[in-house]
Amino acid sequence: MEAISLTINGKHISCPPGTSILNAAVENGIKIPTLCHHPHLKPAGACRLCLVEDEKSGRIMASCVTPVSTNMVIHTDSPEIKRHRTNIIRLMIASHPESCILCNQGNRCELRQIAAELGVGQIGLYPMPHYTGLEEANPFIIRDLSKCILCGKCIRADHELVVVGAIDYNLRGFKSLPATAHEMPLEESSCTFCGTCVSLCPTGALMVKNTRYVGSPQNESVTLCGFCGVGCSLVMGSVDGQIVEVNPSHHDEAVNRSTLCVRGHFAHDFLNVSERLTSPLIRRDGELSPATWDEALESVAEQLISTKRKYGPQSLAFLGSSKCTLEENYLFQKMARAILATNNVDNGGYGSGKAVVNLITEKLNGGGRITPLASLEKAELVFVIGANPLQSAPVVGYSLKRASRMEGIPLIVADPRKTGLVAFSSLWLPLVPHSDCELINALAAILYTRKSYDTDFVNRFTEGFDLYRDGLSSLDLERVSRVTGIEIEMIERAADLFEGKKIAFVIGHGILQQRYAILAISALLNLALITGSLGGEGTGLYILARENNQMGAWDMGAVPDFLPGRQPLYNDTRRKHWEQIWEVKLSPDPGLNMIRMIEETEKGNLKALYIMGENPVRSLPQPERISKALKNLEFLVVQDILENETTHLADVVLPGTAFSEKGGSFTNLEGRIQSFEPVVSPPGEAKPDWEILDLLAVRMGYPRRHYSFRKIRAEISHLVPMYTGLEQEGEESWIRESSNLKLFRPDGEGEPIHFSPVIITEDETHDEAYPFTAILGSLRYHLGSGTRTTHSARIEGFALKGDLEISPEDGARLNLNEGDRVRISSPCGSISREVTLKNDLRPGLIFIPMAFHNNDAMELIELTQLGKADSPGWKECHVTLDKM
Amino acid sequence: MTKPKEIDWERLEAIIDKNRGETWALIPLLQDIQETFGYIPEESIEPIAEALSLFPSQVQGVISFYAGLSLKPKGKYVIRVCRGTACHVKGGRSILRLMKKQLGLNEGETSPDYQFTFETVACLGTCFLAPAMMVNSTYFGKLSPPKVTTVLTQYGKDKGEDKKA
Ligand code: SF4
Ligand code: SF4
Ligand code: SF4
Ligand code: FES
Ligand code: FES
């Protein structure tokens, strides 16, 4: 279409038809004041402040909702317009309460800013405030709607961005205000406390609740959220070196599109707690006591070297962290391999689907890693399996809800529980836990029988279809229906939705942590192949990484079996390559993974362990067993930011720093690499983790220091082809894929992808003594085991108790009422909880949220409850319930 | 008397089901419920939202926006007295005062026997009849105190009596 030309304030402008006058002006550097406009929200035309005048027609119009038209002669600042604007502001102030002068929003209030710009002082109108009372019972958000100017930004943010719908306009005229259903306080509504509305509110009507008065931040810097794998971009405000405020950043390309979740927005107050480690500690006479860096580093270097000398390199192990930066993970594994000559290096992400990711990496040869969330909103169909992103990775949940509500994209949810996403889905498949593999195969079998699969894709890019086809043909659907608990008709209906579409698969811990993870993911890859759902926009596997740098830690080689760039140790060329660079001899045998480290410690084979940024005593199954094992070590060094269950057992504690206190980079679940600079200084004597590793390396005889995280970044960028963008492209880049598969290569040459055989799981045997299946999962208020989030005063102030969820039918059968206490016992251990009856569970299933009560739910699970292919079956276990 | 009956949930659900999946049908559906039950029970907000893939807050927003929809049970006769400018100039204020006194109700209130609900509106759109009021869908114009009494009597209001009620 032809561009439209017009003039704004005498400047000739041309822009595409449909552009609003406001956007045309803004893009050309002309500022128009607004109160209800936000680039990520639909224009509403509510505040009328953006009025402009067309000289030709004499019309005065709201520029945010008026599209440009040819030959308009717009004035944005004429005396007439100013007069109108001034009057609008006067009226708004007339209905504002007197408390305005004491408002915490201060000069960040957009209403006051604009009033000041327009020179509105005394308004000369009779004040008519609309008192509403203050709502501040919850620990997150204060609502003082007497300061509301009805711009509707909060409502649009709530509907259009996070798609919760907790609030909407209520009543009309003078009484009109945003309200929850039944005008309940936020904590009794569907509000998720994402705080997105608070960040967008132009006035002090919605404010963050702080534990103490902090005023306006002195400094603001753009950084990342340190919690989950989404890697939201945010702005942190600080006062006197402490983080006091967090807001989403509003840049267009950010993964979070001006939103955050409750963790990112409100839980970063954990950074300021008194349990932060601020000085190195050394165990002397059985007690941990403060030491100098010199003493601590010397002790660690000396112990590691002498252990190696005495017992050999296999007696040492390094457990790193999927929360630490790329630079740190790279250095950590380099220390293990290049200095201490051991492959015994892993990170806490092991339990979150390492086996699955290995399989995908291998099958796709490193292809299909780039999965932007934005393209979920352009998918043809999204299949969400074993994932509850509304709780675990809320920003992914927002994308999916937007895909469904705004774009009309069908969602299928396969989950034993009726998760929050079910309300947005076209179909829910309530399958029996860990029967996913069977369900997926059945779907493929139906598509195959109907001949509705992508033959072209199969012919061009795959191999081994014949064998797969045979497997599908011999599948017994009746059996599948019995095993999955889903009627054949339902599976048929899912297949109807699949027909002719390319699919985006969203995979969560329900798959990543299940016993049959490998079978399920093989089946899913097959399904992706026959539907042609790989390699195009809005298709492929979206893996919900739990931790912020889980993908990055794997990419950096902080794992026992891969070198940086996910290059397998057994690959001689790749190994030799690194041997040359590091000037060492590397063993081709994989080292110990996290679980094997514990087992070898128990056996007394492992003598020294270096833990960086992990709290295994809290996060792993059987906490007592873990702590007993760790006590068996001759030497344990723990580098962390918080005093915790694991630091208590250490011989030396090294105080590291949180992401906000150091520079570095993280790789998120999309394959996006984001770098950041420090926002504040580390507390006390704490040091950035990369610096600690750098200092230690030279003490252990490594010839060079890196001196800065930028130098480490440059080394990664230089040596790891996947990460060449890291240095070249600055703050943000994407993984560089270099797959040898035809599908992912622009030249159309290369290898085919192999179908995996159809494998049928064994029928479950159920121990009568433990009749319930307990599913362990997250609530959005905590991340993982909750080491950090339970230190957030706000999250703790919300006082969730981590209730056991049970179906009303089972509740009635066991004579349990809401609030009763039960003992939950598995063969492994037992815990107690209060009961909540939940309609979204089928009888026989119960749900236990993790992270509560020191994450004691892990007592129910066995550490080595491993599936066939080394994938920890930590997602569920069988239990019995007794009323207490 | 015509107290609001126990909600006939089956009937309510039938109405909701008629429009299941039709997000656009919110207003006709609400009107249907309003007509059938005389109001829209609060408890129906969630099922309506669920059926139409809307948020409960949205449904409530629409109900509370339109004067013709109500979350509270209303009387058999809904009396709307105008407080618009034209009516005001023609003595609407004394009509209002008289009405309050005769009904024994304040604005927005419903008599305990669910006979009358008393409301005011910004303009009835019949300014030429000022001062004006409506009882359900019938207009009464050029009101005077005696005329008000007559109208109320016509609807079965025995003046003076249940003022205390
Ligand atoms: S609360 Fe804030 S964002 Fe919401 S309508 Fe009022 S002024 Fe706007
Ligand atoms: S905090 Fe989030 S969920 Fe709650 S009302 Fe605001 S935008 Fe909606
Ligand atoms: S926890 Fe995850 S979803 Fe929430 S703000 Fe942080 S990165 Fe975003
Ligand atoms: S910004 Fe245009 S009406 Fe508010
Ligand atoms: S002012 Fe009363 S009807 Fe218009």
Side-chain angles (χ1 to χ4, degrees):
Chain A
M1 256 188 281
E2 229 165 275
I4 292 199
S5 8
L6 69 159
T7 58
I8 303 183
N9 294 355
K11 188 172 175 184
H12 291 281
I13 283 172
S14 125
C15 59
T19 312
S20 68
I21 299 174
L22 176 66
N23 284 346
V26 171
E27 276 156 29
N28 285 280
I30 298 166
K31 206 182 154 236
I32 299 176
T34 63
L35 279 173
C36 71
H37 180 79
H38 187 277
H40 294 157
L41 300 175
K42 289 193 198 130
C47 73
R48 315 312 284 182
L49 215 70
C50 64
L51 291 179
V52 295
E53 187 180 359
D54 181 12
E55 187 185 295
K56 287 204 170 156
S57 62
R59 263 175 72 205
I60 289 187
M61 52 218 158
S63 60
C64 67
V65 286
T66 314
V68 289
S69 62
T70 313
N71 298 331
M72 276 180 159
V73 180
I74 299 291
H75 294 285
T76 68
D77 234 4
S78 64
E80 176 76 352
I81 290 293
K82 274 202 179 136
R83 191 170 58 81
H84 282 301
R85 268 188 208 136
T86 308
N87 281 340
I88 294 169
I89 293 289
R90 285 172 66 216
L91 287 167
M92 283 181 182
I93 293 180
S95 64
H96 232 58
E98 303 83 346
S99 58
C100 177
I101 27 172
L102 297 172
C103 181
N104 222 345
Q105 194 79 343
N107 40 25
R108 285 178 303 161
C109 171
E110 292 172 38
L111 175 62
R112 274 165 59 168
Q113 281 169 12
I114 294 175
E117 277 164 29
L118 289 169
V120 179
Q122 287 298 328
I123 54 165
L125 291 172
Y126 184 75
M128 255 179 89
H130 179 188
Y131 295 113
T132 56
L134 208 61
E135 187 196 316
E136 52 172 351
N138 73 76
F140 307 111
I141 296 175
I142 304 179
R143 292 208 297 173
D144 177 0
L145 294 182
S146 63
K147 293 176 187 155
C148 174
I149 57 164
L150 290 172
C151 71
K153 274 190 194 169
C154 56
I155 296 170
R156 280 174 288 148
D158 180 54
H159 292 203
E160 297 168 17
L161 297 179
V162 302
V163 205
V164 171
I167 49 174
D168 202 342
Y169 288 112
N170 189 34
L171 304 170
R172 56 175 180 159
F174 185 69
K175 290 195 212 133
S176 179
L177 281 178
T180 63
H182 313 291
E183 298 180 57
M184 295 307 247
L186 284 175
E187 57 275 23
E188 283 167 53
S189 75
S190 56
C191 174
T192 63
F193 294 105
C194 71
T196 305
C197 54
V198 182
S199 305
L200 294 188
C201 180
T203 70
L206 301 177
M207 279 195 288
V208 164
K209 189 161 178 181
N210 268 318
T211 28
R212 59 191 174 91
Y213 178 80
V214 289
S216 309
Q218 296 156 340
N219 297 300
E220 288 196 331
S221 347
V222 178
T223 179
L224 298 180
C225 174
F227 290 112
C228 87
V230 176
C232 292
S233 172
L234 44 82
V235 179
M236 283 191 155
S238 60
V239 169
D240 301 335
Q242 295 218 319
I243 306 294
V244 294
E245 201 179 88
V246 175
N247 281 303
S249 72
H250 295 290
H251 79 90
D252 268 344
E253 301 305 317
V255 59
N256 44 317
R257 266 191 91 73
S258 298
T259 68
L260 286 177
C261 79
V262 62
R263 302 188 292 253
H265 211 136
F266 295 107
H268 281 115
D269 58 347
F270 89 88
L271 291 165
N272 304 330
V273 296
S274 57
E275 288 86 352
R276 283 295 303 269
L277 294 164
T278 52
S279 133
L281 306 171
I282 294 185
R283 191 169 296 279
R284 297 186 178 104
D285 309 321
E287 291 289 322
L288 281 172
S289 50
T292 64
W293 271 109
D294 213 35
E295 289 166 330
L297 292 172
E298 198 47 45
S299 156
V300 175
E302 207 264 329
Q303 292 281 353
L304 293 180
I305 294 289
S306 70
T307 309
K308 180 185 166 198
R309 215 173 276 143
K310 206 155 139 203
Y311 303 104
Q314 293 320 312
S315 65
L316 299 167
F318 292 78
L319 179 58
S321 171
S322 43
K323 297 176 271 297
C324 287
T325 63
L326 292 171
E327 291 82 350
E328 289 157 353
N329 273 289
Y330 174 80
L331 223 54
F332 194 64
Q333 61 88 38
K334 182 174 167 183
M335 177 190 271
R337 295 199 164 103
I339 304 178
L340 294 154
T342 177
N343 283 321
N344 291 344
V345 51
D346 203 353
N347 72 78
Y350 176 80
S352 288
K354 173 69 187 349
V356 166
V357 168
N358 273 10
L359 182 90
I360 297 175
T361 307
E362 213 157 292
K363 277 248 145 184
L364 302 185
N365 197 259
R369 277 285 306 276
I370 295 180
T371 49
L373 284 194
S375 57
L376 277 178
E377 290 168 67
K378 296 181 192 139
E380 294 177 4
L381 169 75
V382 187
F383 187 46
V384 183
I385 182 156
N388 188 6
L390 268 53
Q391 303 287 345
S392 61
V395 166
V396 179
Y398 307 158
S399 287
L400 290 171
K401 291 190 287 181
R402 288 198 298 254
S404 157
R405 277 278 156 100
M406 318 285 168
E407 309 299 330
I409 297 168
L411 306 184
I412 302 180
V413 176
D415 203 293
R417 295 194 301 143
K418 189 173 181 182
T419 62
L421 211 49
V422 170
F424 295 82
S425 70
S426 306
L427 186 67
W428 171 41
L429 301 168
L431 79 180
V432 166
H434 52 69
S435 66
D436 308 65
C437 149
E438 303 282 346
L439 173 70
I440 298 164
N441 282 333
L443 268 165
I446 295 172
L447 291 172
Y448 171 67
T449 326
R450 293 185 187 174
K451 298 272 170 281
S452 27
Y453 61 94
D454 192 338
T455 30
D456 183 48
F457 186 96
V458 170
N459 292 339
R460 278 175 62 198
F461 301 120
T462 73
E463 210 173 76
F465 185 58
D466 291 353
L467 205 68
Y468 176 56
R469 197 172 54 187
D470 295 346
L472 292 183
S473 314
S474 57
L475 207 70
D476 175 358
L477 289 185
E478 303 271 329
R479 180 183 168 273
V480 172
S481 172
R482 202 179 60 239
V483 175
T484 57
I486 298 175
E487 287 160 22
I488 298 181
E489 266 162 46
M490 282 268 258
I491 311 179
E492 297 264 3
R493 270 179 57 204
D496 294 346
L497 287 167
F498 266 69
E499 270 198 34
K501 295 205 189 74
K502 306 221 175 293
I503 298 125
F505 298 91
V506 176
I507 302 155
H509 276 65
I511 297 280
L512 298 174
Q513 283 193 322
Q514 76 163 264
R515 218 173 318 160
Y516 296 126
I518 291 302
L519 295 183
I521 213 74
S522 306
L524 204 66
L525 277 166
N526 287 340
L527 183 61
L529 292 180
I530 66 159
T531 54
S533 307
L534 279 172
E537 193 179 19
T539 70
L541 310 183
Y542 290 74
I543 299 169
L544 299 189
R546 175 171 284 161
E547 307 275 4
N548 54 343
N549 197 30
Q550 194 163 317
M551 292 298 166
W554 286 332
D555 290 341
M556 290 301 104
V559 285
D561 45 356
F562 285 88
L563 288 157
R566 301 215 185 167
Q567 299 171 342
L569 266 175
Y570 61 71
N571 180 325
D572 291 337
T573 6
R574 302 318 308 164
R575 197 180 63 253
K576 296 250 155 61
H577 172 77
W578 287 101
E579 284 183 339
Q580 258 172 19
I581 292 169
W582 292 333
E583 298 157 22
V584 282
K585 187 98 195 78
L586 294 173
S587 158
D589 300 326
L592 301 173
N593 64 36
M594 180 168 72
I595 296 179
R596 301 260 291 112
M597 285 178 192
I598 300 294
E599 287 175 338
E600 291 305 300
T601 307
E602 285 172 334
K603 289 185 202 145
N605 297 334
L606 205 65
K607 303 291 183 191
L609 178 61
Y610 192 144
I611 300 179
M612 172 177 82
E614 270 303 319
N615 182 7
V617 179
R618 183 183 175 106
S619 64
L620 293 188
Q622 296 181 289
E624 267 175 46
R625 175 172 170 189
I626 306 294
S627 74
K628 207 167 136 215
L630 295 184
K631 284 180 197 148
N632 225 9
L633 290 162
E634 286 184 12
F635 184 64
L636 174 64
V637 47
V638 181
Q639 176 174 324
D640 212 317
I641 58 172
L642 289 165
E643 182 186 338
N644 63 40
E645 291 85 343
T646 307
T647 59
H648 289 160
L649 303 177
D651 296 296
V652 177
V653 176
L654 304 173
T657 45
F659 66 97
S660 51
E661 298 146 8
K662 63 190 174 192
S665 322
F666 296 142
T667 305
N668 80 348
L669 47 75
E670 306 172 283
R672 184 198 300 248
I673 312 163
Q674 306 183 85
S675 300
F676 53 89
E677 298 285 315
V679 177
V680 291
S681 319
E685 292 169 45
K687 283 186 195 297
D689 298 78
W690 62 264
E691 190 182 336
I692 303 175
L693 298 174
D694 198 35
L695 289 168
L696 257 177
V698 281
R699 284 196 192 240
M700 292 193 293
Y702 194 73
R704 289 181 300 278
R705 274 203 62 188
H706 291 85
Y707 291 107
S708 85
F709 62 86
R710 286 189 197 83
K711 286 235 173 85
I712 311 169
R713 193 179 286 171
E715 182 169 327
I716 298 170
S717 196
H718 188 62
L719 296 174
V720 185
M722 217 183 224
Y723 278 82
T724 38
L726 179 57
E727 216 196 4
Q728 291 168 7
E729 281 154 42
E731 265 164 41
E732 190 171 307
S733 58
W734 291 80
I735 297 272
R736 299 259 160 100
E737 293 182 5
S738 61
S739 177
N740 65 5
L741 298 177
K742 191 174 173 187
L743 173 64
F744 298 114
R745 287 180 53 154
D747 60 4
E749 304 286 316
E751 305 289 312
I753 311 177
H754 291 264
F755 277 98
S756 311
V758 175
I759 295 176
I760 289 159
T761 51
E762 288 155 31
D763 277 356
E764 282 283 299
T765 47
H766 213 111
D767 185 345
E768 295 293 309
Y770 301 98
F772 288 94
T773 303
I775 300 180
L776 275 63
S778 344
L779 296 187
R780 63 176 76 89
Y781 299 92
H782 287 292
L783 189 78
S785 66
T787 298
R788 289 169 296 164
T789 40
T790 44
H791 278 100
S792 157
R794 295 199 189 103
I795 299 281
E796 286 306 278
F798 199 46
L800 290 178
K801 299 186 305 276
D803 286 355
L804 164 79
E805 298 175 10
I806 185 169
S807 69
E809 292 88 339
D810 284 333
R813 221 157 32 80
L814 298 178
N815 193 17
L816 290 172
N817 294 315
E818 201 74 31
D820 284 352
R821 246 194 135 66
V822 285
R823 176 147 296 286
I824 313 165
S825 316
S826 79
C828 215
S830 101
I831 61 173
S832 80
R833 281 289 189 284
E834 277 179 32
V835 166
T836 292
L837 304 175
K838 274 269 165 104
N839 276 322
D840 50 12
L841 284 164
R842 63 160 86 185
L845 277 186
I846 61 167
F847 177 74
I848 308 172
M850 295 195 308
F852 294 89
H853 311 286
N854 303 321
N855 201 25
D856 67 355
M858 289 319 253
E859 289 178 21
L860 299 172
I861 302 242
E862 207 193 315
L863 180 69
T864 44
Q865 189 173 315
L866 292 187
K868 291 255 154 58
D870 227 18
S871 71
W874 292 348
K875 192 63 197 168
E876 65 264 315
C877 62
H878 297 306
V879 297
T880 167
L881 301 178
D882 297 289
K883 188 168 173 174
M884 291 173 74
Chain B
M1 277 274 357
T2 51
K3 289 233 163 138
K5 299 172 216 76
E6 277 286 291
I7 309 162
D8 179 352
W9 279 104
E10 262 175 47
R11 194 144 164 228
L12 189 85
E13 267 162 36
I15 298 177
I16 296 176
D17 270 336
K18 260 197 320 209
N19 295 98
R20 192 165 283 279
E22 297 167 343
T23 301
W24 55 267
L26 178 62
I27 292 183
L29 184 143
L30 292 174
Q31 283 172 325
D32 202 349
I33 298 178
Q34 175 79 34
E35 236 160 73
T36 314
F37 296 95
Y39 75 114
I40 302 170
E42 281 226 28
E43 302 88 330
S44 66
I45 291 180
E46 272 76 16
I48 296 172
E50 203 250 337
L52 269 49
S53 297
L54 290 166
F55 301 120
S57 61
Q58 283 175 307
V59 174
Q60 168 180 283
V62 169
I63 300 173
S64 67
F65 182 82
Y66 289 104
L69 303 173
S70 164
L71 283 170
K72 278 194 222 121
K74 288 204 180 172
K76 185 169 167 197
Y77 303 114
V78 179
I79 300 175
R80 298 192 173 93
V81 178
C82 181
R83 11 158 107 256
T85 320
C87 296
H88 181 84
V89 173
K90 295 263 182 147
R93 223 165 12 143
S94 55
I95 301 293
L96 257 171
R97 224 180 297 126
L98 178 71
M99 193 64 97
K100 276 190 194 172
K101 203 165 143 208
Q102 295 223 341
L103 289 170
L105 296 174
N106 278 317
E107 280 182 60
E109 285 181 354
T110 298
S111 61
D113 61 1
Y114 289 94
Q115 273 303 92
F116 293 98
T117 295
F118 174 47
E119 290 173 355
T120 61
V121 285
C123 173
L124 283 173
T126 53
C127 310
F128 53 95
L129 290 176
M133 71 176 207
M134 276 178 95
V135 179
N136 293 349
S137 50
T138 316
Y139 288 91
F140 297 89
K142 301 209 184 303
L143 296 174
S144 59
K147 192 162 176 195
V148 167
T149 317
T150 322
V151 174
L152 287 184
T153 322
Q154 186 186 328
Y155 286 96
K157 185 77 198 171
D158 201 351
K159 61 170 173 160
E161 197 197 33
D162 46 334
K163 246 187 249 169
K164 306 159 258 25

